[in-house]
PDB file of all heavy atoms in Angstrom:
ATOM      1  N   HIS A 225     141.516  25.176 -28.362  1.00 97.00           N
ATOM      2  CA  HIS A 225     142.220  24.027 -27.856  1.00 97.00           C
ATOM      3  C   HIS A 225     142.307  22.958 -28.975  1.00 97.00           C
ATOM      4  O   HIS A 225     141.270  22.724 -29.652  1.00 97.00           O
ATOM      5  CB  HIS A 225     141.503  23.467 -26.622  1.00 97.00           C
ATOM      6  CG  HIS A 225     142.111  22.223 -26.037  1.00 97.00           C
ATOM      7  ND1 HIS A 225     143.243  22.262 -25.213  1.00 97.00           N
ATOM      8  CD2 HIS A 225     141.819  20.920 -26.167  1.00 97.00           C
ATOM      9  CE1 HIS A 225     143.554  21.054 -24.900  1.00 97.00           C
ATOM     10  NE2 HIS A 225     142.722  20.202 -25.437  1.00 97.00           N
ATOM     11  N   PRO A 226     143.378  22.324 -29.209  1.00 97.00           N
ATOM     12  CA  PRO A 226     144.618  22.283 -28.443  1.00 97.00           C
ATOM     13  C   PRO A 226     145.708  23.228 -28.937  1.00 97.00           C
ATOM     14  O   PRO A 226     146.919  23.076 -28.637  1.00 97.00           O
ATOM     15  CB  PRO A 226     145.100  20.855 -28.641  1.00 97.00           C
ATOM     16  CG  PRO A 226     144.691  20.515 -30.020  1.00 97.00           C
ATOM     17  CD  PRO A 226     143.381  21.237 -30.238  1.00 97.00           C
ATOM     18  N   TYR A 227     145.330  24.256 -29.725  1.00 96.00           N
ATOM     19  CA  TYR A 227     146.266  25.211 -30.253  1.00 96.00           C
ATOM     20  C   TYR A 227     146.274  26.540 -29.532  1.00 96.00           C
ATOM     21  O   TYR A 227     146.818  27.498 -30.094  1.00 96.00           O
ATOM     22  CB  TYR A 227     145.990  25.415 -31.768  1.00 96.00           C
ATOM     23  CG  TYR A 227     145.960  24.099 -32.533  1.00 96.00           C
ATOM     24  CD1 TYR A 227     144.750  23.616 -33.110  1.00 96.00           C
ATOM     25  CD2 TYR A 227     147.139  23.374 -32.677  1.00 96.00           C
ATOM     26  CE1 TYR A 227     144.752  22.419 -33.791  1.00 96.00           C
ATOM     27  CE2 TYR A 227     147.079  22.138 -33.405  1.00 96.00           C
ATOM     28  CZ  TYR A 227     145.903  21.708 -33.945  1.00 96.00           C
ATOM     29  OH  TYR A 227     145.876  20.516 -34.645  1.00 96.00           O
ATOM     30  N   ARG A 228     145.678  26.609 -28.364  1.00 95.00           N
ATOM     31  CA  ARG A 228     145.613  27.857 -27.630  1.00 95.00           C
ATOM     32  C   ARG A 228     146.974  28.451 -27.439  1.00 95.00           C
ATOM     33  O   ARG A 228     147.940  27.743 -27.095  1.00 95.00           O
ATOM     34  CB  ARG A 228     144.968  27.592 -26.250  1.00 95.00           C
ATOM     35  CG  ARG A 228     144.704  28.849 -25.472  1.00 95.00           C
ATOM     36  CD  ARG A 228     143.931  28.581 -24.168  1.00 95.00           C
ATOM     37  NE  ARG A 228     143.628  29.777 -23.442  1.00 95.00           N
ATOM     38  CZ  ARG A 228     142.990  29.837 -22.299  1.00 95.00           C
ATOM     39  NH1 ARG A 228     142.569  28.712 -21.719  1.00 95.00           N
ATOM     40  NH2 ARG A 228     142.742  30.969 -21.703  1.00 95.00           N
ATOM     41  N   GLY A 229     147.110  29.734 -27.741  1.00 92.00           N
ATOM     42  CA  GLY A 229     148.376  30.454 -27.620  1.00 92.00           C
ATOM     43  C   GLY A 229     149.193  30.580 -28.925  1.00 92.00           C
ATOM     44  O   GLY A 229     150.120  31.337 -29.002  1.00 92.00           O
ATOM     45  N   SER A 230     148.709  29.844 -29.918  1.00 96.00           N
ATOM     46  CA  SER A 230     149.422  29.930 -31.255  1.00 96.00           C
ATOM     47  C   SER A 230     148.534  30.786 -32.174  1.00 96.00           C
ATOM     48  O   SER A 230     147.395  31.166 -31.872  1.00 96.00           O
ATOM     49  CB  SER A 230     149.584  28.529 -31.811  1.00 96.00           C
ATOM     50  OG  SER A 230     148.310  27.878 -32.027  1.00 96.00           O
ATOM     51  N   LEU A 231     149.096  31.093 -33.343  1.00 97.00           N
ATOM     52  CA  LEU A 231     148.410  31.894 -34.339  1.00 97.00           C
ATOM     53  C   LEU A 231     147.178  31.125 -34.868  1.00 97.00           C
ATOM     54  O   LEU A 231     147.245  29.976 -35.213  1.00 97.00           O
ATOM     55  CB  LEU A 231     149.342  32.195 -35.476  1.00 97.00           C
ATOM     56  CG  LEU A 231     149.081  33.475 -36.304  1.00 97.00           C
ATOM     57  CD1 LEU A 231     149.190  34.709 -35.408  1.00 97.00           C
ATOM     58  CD2 LEU A 231     150.047  33.541 -37.435  1.00 97.00           C
ATOM     59  N   ASN A 232     146.047  31.791 -34.843  1.00 98.00           N
ATOM     60  CA  ASN A 232     144.773  31.152 -35.300  1.00 98.00           C
ATOM     61  C   ASN A 232     144.512  31.414 -36.773  1.00 98.00           C
ATOM     62  O   ASN A 232     144.928  32.415 -37.323  1.00 98.00           O
ATOM     63  CB  ASN A 232     143.607  31.758 -34.443  1.00 98.00           C
ATOM     64  CG  ASN A 232     142.416  30.822 -34.463  1.00 98.00           C
ATOM     65  OD1 ASN A 232     142.412  29.718 -34.983  1.00 98.00           O
ATOM     66  ND2 ASN A 232     141.329  31.321 -33.888  1.00 98.00           N
ATOM     67  N   GLU A 233     143.802  30.481 -37.375  1.00 98.00           N
ATOM     68  CA  GLU A 233     143.423  30.568 -38.800  1.00 98.00           C
ATOM     69  C   GLU A 233     142.023  30.063 -38.976  1.00 98.00           C
ATOM     70  O   GLU A 233     141.512  29.287 -38.153  1.00 98.00           O
ATOM     71  CB  GLU A 233     144.398  29.806 -39.719  1.00 98.00           C
ATOM     72  CG  GLU A 233     145.788  30.319 -39.754  1.00 98.00           C
ATOM     73  CD  GLU A 233     146.618  29.584 -40.793  1.00 98.00           C
ATOM     74  OE1 GLU A 233     146.064  28.993 -41.726  1.00 98.00           O
ATOM     75  OE2 GLU A 233     147.838  29.509 -40.583  1.00 98.00           O
ATOM     76  N   PRO A 234     141.338  30.396 -40.048  1.00 98.00           N
ATOM     77  CA  PRO A 234     139.984  29.875 -40.331  1.00 98.00           C
ATOM     78  C   PRO A 234     139.897  28.373 -40.361  1.00 98.00           C
ATOM     79  O   PRO A 234     138.852  27.793 -40.119  1.00 98.00           O
ATOM     80  CB  PRO A 234     139.587  30.510 -41.673  1.00 98.00           C
ATOM     81  CG  PRO A 234     140.358  31.825 -41.687  1.00 98.00           C
ATOM     82  CD  PRO A 234     141.661  31.455 -41.019  1.00 98.00           C
ATOM     83  N   LYS A 235     140.993  27.724 -40.686  1.00 98.00           N
ATOM     84  CA  LYS A 235     141.012  26.262 -40.757  1.00 98.00           C
ATOM     85  C   LYS A 235     140.619  25.640 -39.438  1.00 98.00           C
ATOM     86  O   LYS A 235     140.265  24.419 -39.417  1.00 98.00           O
ATOM     87  CB  LYS A 235     142.429  25.757 -41.160  1.00 98.00           C
ATOM     88  CG  LYS A 235     143.492  25.995 -40.126  1.00 98.00           C
ATOM     89  CD  LYS A 235     144.853  25.459 -40.542  1.00 98.00           C
ATOM     90  CE  LYS A 235     145.926  25.659 -39.472  1.00 98.00           C
ATOM     91  NZ  LYS A 235     147.231  25.162 -39.874  1.00 98.00           N
TER      92      LYS A 235
END
Side-chain angles (χ1 to χ4, degrees):
H225 178 79
Y227 304 112
R228 186 175 182 180
S230 63
L231 206 62
N232 199 8
E233 294 185 26
K235 68 178 181 180

